[in-house]
Amino acid sequence: LMQRLWEEDEEFRQLKEEHTWFHRKVEELDKKPFLTPAERVKREELKKRKLILKDKMEEIMAAYRHRLEGKE
């Protein structure tokens, strides 16, 4: 389903790309042995934004599933 949406839905593709970017940034911070207070705040903000994107992708997938069910 994700692959199909990636290929067919521009909004989904953009959300997935942004989500991947935030994921990499969080991973970069997680690799550090110690985070400054500013880095901890940034990490939490990145995680929140990543979650928002994931929720939006889930909404698109649920709507797509719903449309598919209506066609069967």
Side-chain angles (χ1 to χ4, degrees), residues 32-44:
K32 290 185 167 196
F34 175 78
L35 296 178
T36 66
E39 288 172 326
R40 283 197 300 271
V41 169
K42 181 172 180 98
R43 181 179 173 271
E44 291 307 309

Side-chain angles (χ1 to χ4, degrees), residues 52-67:
I52 289 168
L53 293 169
K54 182 180 177 185
D55 289 345
K56 288 180 181 177
M57 288 188 301
E58 289 287 340
E59 288 175 11
I60 291 171
M61 288 190 293
Y64 187 81
R65 280 188 209 101
H66 183 73
R67 284 194 305 271

Side-chain angles (χ1 to χ4, degrees), residues 11-67:
E11 180 185 11
F12 184 85
R13 185 172 35 255
Q14 183 177 356
L15 292 170
K16 179 68 175 155
E17 288 174 353
E18 289 180 47
H19 181 270
T20 300
W21 185 86
F22 283 115
H23 181 77
R24 282 194 297 253
K25 293 298 179 186
V26 169
E27 281 186 334
E28 287 174 15
L29 289 171
D30 284 344
K31 289 178 184 177
K32 290 185 167 196
F34 175 78
L35 296 178
T36 66
E39 288 172 326
R40 283 197 300 271
V41 169
K42 181 172 180 98
R43 181 179 173 271
E44 291 307 309
E45 179 61 28
L46 290 169
K47 286 173 68 176
K48 287 177 187 175
R49 293 179 70 185
K50 183 179 144 195
L51 184 59
I52 289 168
L53 293 169
K54 182 180 177 185
D55 289 345
K56 288 180 181 177
M57 288 188 301
E58 289 287 340
E59 288 175 11
I60 291 171
M61 288 190 293
Y64 187 81
R65 280 188 209 101
H66 183 73
R67 284 194 305 271

